[in-house]
Amino acid sequence: GQNIDQPTEMTATEGAIVQINCTYQTSGFNGLFWYQQHAGEAPTFLSYNVLDGLEEKGRFSSFLSRSKGYSYLLLKELQMKDSASYLCAVRDSDYKLSFGAGTTVTVRA
Amino acid sequence: IAGITQAPTSQILAAGRRMTLRCTQDMRHNAMYWYRQDLGLGLRLIHYSNTAGTTGKGEVPDGYSVSRANTDDFPLTLASAVPSQTSVYFCASSEGDSDTQYFGPGTRLTVL
């Protein structure tokens, strides 16, 4: 099984940068995903890492260190619309996803 | 293209009643999934199907059943609902089981 930890809540100011950490313990690792979920809506795919290093997609970047069981999602130039929950999910050797409880990010003006 | 649709959007159900949550995708994805999302617990996999005609159990399958008669539809049935099944249910699909999963809008179910 998987054990996935991420902070419950984070608050940041519009225009700032926020880093959401995710640590995991897994019996088999086959990739790590980040999803964004606005209140009352479906999770939407943000990023995927399977190799160590940084993946950049516009204002969002995701980093993975497999040896440390660690990932982070970096949100730059925060906007009010970035207020949402961010879900870290680990895929196991059977290609099944296990999700963390999510980090609620609140962006303040 | 609608992607993934779920019905109903929300439902209040008496304990002991039978309920089927519907999920349809028009992307011709082979794999489909059912999750439940509860506060503080994150999304948990209930059942999955890697391809039409096959299904498998996830992390929390008890009290739920699924069928996959064709590629597009993946209904989830609660044979006799209990209050602990109060949750938000999300259906997801992926092209193959090793591909990114995309989620439907969810069904909010309350069992009283």
Side-chain angles (χ1 to χ4, degrees):
Chain A
Q2 322 282 2
N3 185 16
I4 302 166
D5 290 315
Q6 51 182 131
T8 304
E9 294 179 329
M10 301 183 76
T11 301
T13 305
E14 198 173 13
I17 298 173
V18 69
Q19 177 174 314
I20 307 169
N21 295 325
C22 173
T23 59
Y24 63 88
Q25 295 172 316
T26 175
S27 55
F29 179 82
N30 204 353
L32 188 142
F33 294 78
W34 285 96
Y35 283 82
Q36 181 190 59
Q37 186 177 24
H38 286 99
E41 297 184 8
T44 56
F45 169 72
L46 282 180
S47 70
Y48 167 65
N49 295 69
V50 67
L51 299 176
D52 291 351
L54 190 68
E55 293 283 340
E56 296 187 85
K57 263 190 189 182
R59 295 188 299 113
F60 293 1
S61 304
S62 57
F63 171 83
L64 175 66
S65 169
R66 289 172 295 170
S67 62
K68 295 182 179 177
Y70 169 70
S71 173
Y72 68 72
L73 179 70
L74 196 68
L75 286 62
K76 293 177 277 190
E77 300 168 20
L78 277 172
Q79 302 175 10
M80 299 300 287
K81 67 179 181 179
D82 298 328
S83 291
S85 283
Y86 292 85
L87 315 179
C88 174
V90 174
R91 187 166 66 187
D92 65 20
S93 52
D94 291 329
Y95 298 106
K96 299 301 172 286
L97 289 182
S98 293
F99 285 81
T103 299
T104 299
V105 172
T106 302
V107 180
R108 294 190 170 156
Chain B
I1 295 177
I4 303 177
T5 58
Q6 293 185 235
T9 303
S10 65
Q11 181 76 43
I12 299 174
L13 190 66
R17 298 297 295 269
R18 180 183 179 90
M19 177 73 192
T20 295
L21 308 185
R22 299 185 298 279
C23 174
T24 300
Q25 53 100 1
D26 62 4
M27 299 176 284
R28 308 302 294 172
H29 282 177
N30 286 309
M32 297 186 74
Y33 312 84
W34 274 106
Y35 293 88
R36 59 178 289 172
Q37 186 174 39
D38 303 288
L39 268 176
L41 293 178
L43 287 153
R44 291 181 292 168
L45 182 65
I46 305 170
H47 284 287
Y48 65 92
S49 169
N50 287 336
T51 189
T54 70
T55 62
K57 293 181 180 180
E59 180 186 354
V60 288
D62 293 343
Y64 306 94
S65 63
V66 291
S67 61
R68 187 88 184 276
N70 58 61
T71 297
D72 299 344
D73 301 299
F74 191 42
L76 176 74
T77 297
L78 289 67
S80 179
V82 295
S84 62
Q85 292 177 311
T86 293
S87 188
V88 181
Y89 291 85
F90 287 100
C91 178
S93 73
S94 60
E95 190 169 347
D97 61 359
S98 61
D99 297 303
T100 300
Q101 294 181 24
Y102 297 93
F103 286 80
T107 293
R108 183 173 295 274
L109 182 67
T110 302
V111 183
L112 300 176

